[in-house]
Amino acid sequence: MNALCDLNRGAIETRLRKEVIGCLHAKFTLWLQGRGLKLHRTGESIDPVRKQPHVLYIKLDGVDASASELFTVRGASVEQMKAMCTALPLCHGFNSEGQFKSKITSKAKSPAIDLYLKQTVLGVKQNKSLSSTEAGVFASHDEEYRNMESSLKIYIYDTPIGKEIPSLEDYKYGVEHLFITLLSKSKFRTLDPMLATFFLVPSRCTAYRKSVSNLKTGIQVASTITAEMVTHVIHRYPHWNASLGADHFYICAHDMGTRVTSAANQNLLRNAVALVNTADILERTFVVHKDISVPPHPGRGSILWSKMGQGGAPFDPSKRVRGPVRPKLLELFRQDADILVVNGHMSDHDYMNALKTTTFCLCPRGNVAWSPRVMDALWFGCIPVIIADYYVPPLYGLIDWAAMSITVPESQVSLLS
């Protein structure tokens, strides 16, 4: 592969247009063939048999991105660059100057440049004899996505309940604060409830729980505030009663998850959509067909890495070996040369270095099914090995977890070695 062509940026700049495109095409084709795939046109399924991602590109006029650059290609058309970016998993987008990006960290106005952002969604299962119905669903996805972007409007209730408790930007439960913050600033928010398609009940269960030190008391505080907030919404606004909460949703990233509804109006649990980390099918209050499993934390670089784990704070290691799986892993692999099992605290530096240099990262359940280690592993390029029966991975149905992780039944952990 390395002998086929040199993708060093300086070398590419000196190549003729036709040689560069031909070289890239050949490299991508071989890379795909090695994985049993083939180069395809944008919008087509990569593999004719398996369920594979469908790639869309969002064009941002007069915008460029600050990002890690993969390489630069001169003279290729937009469609050619789309095909190249689609074939390369590391590519997250490109600009009209032919600069391919591996990670887009920020965007800024740039009048002479257009940015193309790669968006991957799970397509329908393809085979050689697609039915007309299946083909129609797959072909109409682009239009449905555009319609969603133009029509989706979310109203965030303005309620004084719980406002005295400050927001909490916590590493482990970081998605809760970030989701509400970004949604409040997004184009999907509407200030007119009559235009809304969905309504957010802005409960911040993690902040409420952390407002007191005792766990049991904190959960009670969170449940009480959430119940009061829903009662306020029901009595002040007409929208809840119009659907009994079916077009409402809330987010709770803490381990209590949907159990935060215990003291609230029963329709919050029954009808409203929950965005939670604790997506456990065995959890009585988690409804698989309605609720959504979200990524535990957003992985925002040094801002949150400083809070990783216990952040250097002392703790009792025995309390970390909890649940039905972790003690078994410790017993089985404490002396195993191929599996690193740590019974104690790792510094942030050592933990991140272990993630960077490890091929497979074990993500066993603790007292609950989910673990922030799933996202820790992904951010550092380590393949998550999920050991949590009945756990619904984040954004399941949109992300093909079978292609990027390994699931091991709890009863078979002894076979890992």
Side-chain angles (χ1 to χ4, degrees), residues 79-381:
E79 291 306 311
Q80 287 172 322
M81 289 192 287
K82 283 182 179 180
M84 294 175 189
C85 189
T86 298
L88 186 62
L90 291 177
C91 179
H92 287 190
F94 59 92
N95 63 21
S96 52
E97 295 292 312
Q99 297 170 347
F100 286 69
K101 318 285 186 174
S102 64
K103 182 180 180 182
I104 296 175
T105 54
S106 62
K107 297 183 284 292
K109 292 183 179 180
S110 183
I113 296 178
D114 297 331
L115 181 66
Y116 294 81
L117 295 179
K118 181 180 179 181
Q119 301 289 318
T120 303
V121 295
L122 204 60
V124 300
K125 185 175 284 189
Q126 298 280 304
N127 55 47
K128 292 182 179 179
S129 56
L130 273 180
S131 69
S132 58
T133 301
E134 289 176 322
V137 169
F138 191 70
S140 66
H141 187 279
D142 289 10
E143 183 177 355
E144 291 177 0
Y145 189 86
R146 287 192 297 270
N147 289 339
M148 181 276 292
E149 283 205 303
S150 62
S151 63
L152 179 64
K153 297 297 178 185
I154 297 173
Y155 181 76
I156 303 176
Y157 284 114
D158 183 13
T159 170
I161 308 300
K163 274 194 173 181
E164 72 280 3
I165 298 177
S167 295
L168 181 68
E169 187 171 357
D170 183 270
Y171 156 74
K172 186 177 179 182
Y173 310 112
V175 67
E176 181 179 299
H177 170 77
L178 184 64
F179 177 84
I180 295 176
T181 300
L182 293 180
L183 182 58
S184 67
K185 300 176 181 178
S186 80
K187 66 178 183 179
F188 298 115
R189 183 183 183 183
T190 178
L191 300 179
D192 184 353
M194 301 308 294
L195 299 178
T197 48
F198 290 97
F199 299 83
L200 172 65
V201 178
S203 175
R204 297 173 290 117
C205 72
T206 301
Y208 309 150
R209 150 62 195 102
K210 297 283 188 175
S211 65
V212 296
S213 58
N214 182 270
L215 173 61
K216 185 176 180 179
T217 302
I219 291 176
Q220 291 175 342
V221 169
S223 299
T224 299
I225 294 177
T226 300
E228 292 176 353
M229 184 178 294
V230 172
T231 299
H232 178 263
V233 165
I234 291 174
H235 287 99
R236 181 173 178 181
Y237 299 90
H239 318 295
W240 178 277
N241 290 329
S243 66
L244 294 180
D247 52 2
H248 288 58
F249 67 102
Y250 66 96
I251 183 169
C252 180
H254 190 269
D255 287 359
M256 73 184 85
T258 50
R259 286 180 287 125
V260 75
T261 65
S262 62
N265 182 288
Q266 63 179 358
N267 287 321
L268 180 64
L269 173 63
R270 181 182 298 169
N271 297 332
V273 176
L275 278 59
V276 294
N277 291 338
T278 52
D280 187 343
I281 294 175
L282 295 183
E283 181 71 50
R284 180 181 59 84
T285 54
F286 177 75
V287 183
V288 178
H289 68 270
K290 173 178 69 69
D291 300 330
I292 298 172
S293 176
V294 293
H297 62 78
R300 292 172 53 201
S302 59
I303 296 175
L304 286 179
W305 287 130
S306 62
K307 300 178 182 179
M308 178 176 284
Q310 295 293 319
F315 71 98
D316 181 1
S318 64
K319 294 181 179 179
R320 306 298 279 178
V321 187
R322 55 195 177 192
V325 179
R326 295 183 189 180
K328 189 179 298 184
L329 289 173
L330 183 62
E331 177 185 350
L332 289 170
F333 305 117
R334 189 194 298 267
Q335 304 298 328
D336 196 293
D338 297 320
I339 299 178
L340 173 63
V341 178
V342 178
N343 181 23
H345 178 63
M346 296 179 73
S347 68
D348 295 339
H349 176 271
D350 289 344
Y351 181 44
M352 288 187 279
N353 187 62
L355 292 172
K356 292 177 184 177
T357 56
T358 303
T359 304
F360 301 98
C361 291
L362 304 185
C363 305
R365 72 153 57 235
N367 289 332
V368 292
W370 80 282
S371 167
R373 273 159 288 281
V374 172
M375 301 309 297
D376 294 349
L378 290 177
W379 299 136
F380 284 93

